[in-house]
Amino acid sequence: KTFLSGCFIDNPATTATGGDAIKVCRLEAGLLIRQTKDLWITCLFMATVLKLQELSSAATPTTMPMQEGETQQKQEQLVTFVLQLYHQIVNMGLDRYWERKHLMDGRAIIKSLDIPRGPIIQKYLDEQIRWMLVHPQGSVEECEVHLRNCKRELEENGDTDDNGNGVVGSIVLGVSDGAGPSSPVLASHSGKHMSKKMHVESMDLDLT
């Protein structure tokens, strides 16, 4: 049920009853879609079916007559929410985000950051995708500055490999809603100093 619990920063129950439009986190939704690729709609459909079944099975035989109307209302709210979610993702241009190319390929990163070839390149490529999701209008130059800042902060905090190059495996973006600016922060590997960080909060789909 990841698609129904990990992409949002508002409770969907208020949306289906006339509340404000749901707020989809670009970062979380984009990463999920890049992971599932063209199966993301299937994943969304299956998650919806499972949640509908869960709502149906919540009623016991003794309370089923009284809860039937309430259960149906919750199911209708869920379907409305999922449809809004789908359209939000499409309107945000994330529906085929796995096809989105990096602003800087591996060679450009090696040259810009002056780092050797190796697994570290994939770390910077992954960090670049996160930055691109949070900054959909960002330029190559801005992305390059971000990656350089990542490398510098990692080196300053002692997170380097044997060659003294910054390792970005522990970068956490300072993003709360997928829409505002972000900055790289470093998570501690072994109790070392940890910079302030803000996590995208995962939300439990609570329609009970």
Side-chain angles (χ1 to χ4, degrees):
K1 302 178 185 179
T2 304
F3 272 97
L4 297 182
S5 61
C7 299
F8 317 100
I9 58 178
D10 276 356
N11 193 317
T14 60
T15 301
T17 55
D20 295 334
I22 60 175
K23 296 180 181 179
V24 179
C25 175
R26 281 188 60 88
L27 178 60
E28 291 296 323
L31 292 177
L32 281 171
I33 290 172
R34 282 187 69 87
Q35 180 182 359
T36 55
K37 299 183 179 180
D38 54 353
L39 292 176
W40 77 268
I41 297 179
T42 301
C43 292
L44 179 60
F45 174 77
M46 293 302 298
T48 304
V49 171
L50 290 173
K51 187 60 183 180
L52 289 172
Q53 291 177 340
E54 180 182 313
L55 291 172
S56 297
S57 61
T60 63
T62 56
T63 62
M64 190 173 297
M66 294 181 294
Q67 294 183 341
E68 184 176 355
E70 182 181 352
T71 298
Q72 182 177 354
Q73 181 182 17
K74 290 178 179 179
Q75 290 176 330
E76 291 174 354
Q77 290 177 356
L78 175 63
V79 172
T80 299
F81 167 74
V82 171
L83 289 174
Q84 290 180 346
L85 164 61
Y86 171 80
H87 289 297
Q88 279 267 35
I89 289 176
V90 172
N91 291 338
M92 294 170 74
L94 297 176
D95 51 318
R96 299 193 67 84
Y97 203 81
W98 70 89
E99 297 178 345
R100 179 69 182 269
K101 295 183 178 180
H102 294 82
L103 294 175
M104 299 174 63
D105 60 17
R107 292 183 179 180
I109 290 176
I110 290 173
K111 181 179 180 180
S112 174
L113 302 184
D114 190 24
I115 56 178
R117 297 178 181 272
I120 186 64
I121 305 303
Q122 186 59 50
K123 299 289 186 179
Y124 280 104
L125 289 171
D126 292 343
E127 172 62 17
Q128 182 182 170
I129 287 295
R130 292 182 175 89
W131 184 90
M132 290 168 59
L133 281 165
V134 179
H135 303 84
Q137 305 301 323
S139 66
V140 176
E141 292 76 15
E142 291 170 332
C143 180
E144 184 176 15
V145 169
H146 172 73
L147 295 181
R148 286 180 178 177
N149 288 338
C150 289
K151 181 172 184 276
R152 182 175 62 254
E153 286 199 31
L154 289 163
E155 291 172 345
E156 290 175 352
N157 284 271
D159 290 316
T160 58
D161 60 16
D162 294 338
N163 296 320
N165 298 300
V167 179
V168 298
S170 59
I171 285 182
V172 179
L173 283 175
V175 179
S176 60
D177 61 2
S182 67
S183 60
V185 291
L186 308 174
S188 173
H189 291 297
S190 56
K192 294 183 293 183
H193 169 71
M194 182 183 296
S195 303
K196 64 179 180 178
K197 62 181 178 179
M198 298 172 61
H199 291 284
V200 176
E201 297 294 338
S202 293
M203 178 211 68
D204 292 329
L205 186 68
D206 185 7
L207 292 176
T208 58

